[in-house]
Amino acid sequence: MAKPGKKYLKARDLRTKTAYSVVDAVKLLKQGGFAKFDESVDVAMRLGVNPKQSDQMVRGTVVLPHGTGRSKKICVLALGDKVKEAEEAGADYAGSEELIEKIAGGWIDFDIVIATPDIMRNVGKLGRTLGTKGLMPNPKSGTVTFDVKKAVQETKAGKVEFRIDKTSIINASVGKISFSEDKLADNVRSFMNAVLHARPATAKGRFVKSMYVSSTMGPSFKIAEDILEK
C-alpha cells in the first residue's frame, strides 16, 4: 500500500478534533488544500436506511446556491418547439430522432440528458447506452419534463442529483476549493438539508449516521452529530 505524501499528512494534521461544524470543516479544507488544480469539495453521508427496500430509497435533487464550479454539457431530447426552447435556454445539444440515433450509435459527449415526456417512448431504446452511465432521464430527478427551459437553467446553475448507493451512502460534489468559505458552507448545508428532506416515511431511528466533507486530494473532516438530525 502506498504511503501518504508529506503534503497530505500536513493537511491531515489540521484534524485535531473528532468532529467539526460545517464552517470549521470548510475552513480546514481550504487551509489544507495543496493540489496544483482546483479540487472538488465532496460530501459523503451514511444513512440509516436499507436501500434494498424500495420504500427506503433516498434520491432527489438540489440547486446549490453557488453552483458546483463545474460546467455540465446538457443534451435535450424533445419534439417540435421544445428543441428550440432548449437551445435558447443554453442546452449544448438538442434534437429528436436524429440525436437519439446518434446516441444509440455510441456517442455520449454530454453529462446529463433531459427529455420531454412525449419522446420518452423513443428514448427507451437507449436504456443500455444511458442506463449504465447513470444518464437515463427520470421524472424523479426532474430530467423528464415539458418545462425544458427551467430544467436546463437549473442544471446550468448548479443542480445536483443525489441517490443512495447499495452501501447506504450518498456522495456528491458541492463546489470547488477555490470557492470562499461562506459559499462552500452554504452549499454543504443546502445539500445536507435536501437529503434530510428526502427522508422516507418508513425510515426509523437516526436517519443520518455520519457525514464527512473532503477535497479531492485531502483528508476528510467529520461533521458534528449535533448538527445532524437526531
Side-chain angles (χ1 to χ4, degrees):
M1 180 181 291
K3 293 183 178 180
K6 292 182 179 179
K7 292 182 179 179
Y8 175 87
L9 292 175
K10 184 178 180 180
R12 194 178 65 181
D13 286 343
L14 294 171
R15 195 168 58 196
T16 58
K17 299 194 300 184
T18 57
Y20 297 86
S21 67
V22 171
V23 171
D24 287 343
V26 164
K27 182 181 296 184
L28 292 173
L29 277 182
K30 289 181 65 66
Q31 287 180 10
F34 60 85
K36 294 182 179 180
F37 62 93
D38 194 6
E39 300 174 75
S40 292
V41 173
D42 304 317
V43 172
M45 301 174 73
R46 185 167 66 89
L47 306 183
V49 296
N50 183 0
K52 293 182 180 180
Q53 303 296 322
S54 60
D55 60 355
Q56 292 195 33
M57 281 296 296
V58 180
R59 68 181 302 172
T61 61
V62 57
V63 179
L64 300 177
H66 306 292
T68 62
R70 177 173 177 264
S71 178
K72 289 186 177 181
K73 287 186 178 180
I74 302 173
C75 177
V76 175
L77 302 175
L79 297 173
D81 294 340
K82 290 297 179 180
V83 174
K84 183 178 180 180
E85 180 182 323
E87 293 172 339
E88 292 177 346
D92 298 275
Y93 311 103
S96 304
E97 289 299 330
E98 73 287 349
L99 201 53
I100 291 176
E101 292 304 319
K102 187 175 180 180
I103 295 171
W107 175 76
I108 311 183
D109 184 27
F110 44 79
D111 301 300
I112 187 169
V113 180
I114 296 169
T116 52
D118 54 357
I119 203 173
M120 280 303 293
R121 62 181 180 277
N122 300 326
V123 177
K125 66 181 181 181
L126 300 178
R128 288 187 177 180
T129 304
L130 299 179
T132 56
K133 302 288 185 179
L135 296 173
M136 195 67 180
N138 189 302
K140 292 183 179 179
S141 63
T143 50
V144 177
T145 176
F146 278 119
D147 196 347
V148 172
K149 180 179 179 180
K150 179 182 178 182
V152 171
Q153 290 179 337
E154 284 188 343
T155 300
K156 288 289 186 180
K159 183 178 180 180
V160 172
E161 180 181 356
F162 58 85
R163 180 174 182 172
I164 194 170
D165 66 17
K166 62 182 180 181
T167 63
S168 300
I169 293 175
I170 284 179
N171 291 287
S173 291
V174 295
K176 295 289 187 178
I177 206 164
S178 61
F179 284 17
S180 69
E181 293 176 12
D182 288 344
K183 288 183 178 180
L184 279 176
D186 283 347
N187 279 2
V188 170
R189 283 190 288 258
S190 293
F191 183 81
M192 178 180 70
N193 289 333
V195 173
L196 291 175
H197 285 307
R199 175 176 182 154
T202 56
K204 304 298 182 183
R206 188 176 181 86
F207 181 49
V208 180
K209 294 296 186 72
S210 62
M211 175 176 167
Y212 292 81
V213 294
S214 62
S215 59
T216 305
M217 302 296 291
S220 62
F221 295 87
K222 186 177 182 179
I223 301 302
E225 290 186 0
D226 60 355
I227 296 173
L228 306 175
E229 182 202 41
K230 300 297 186 206

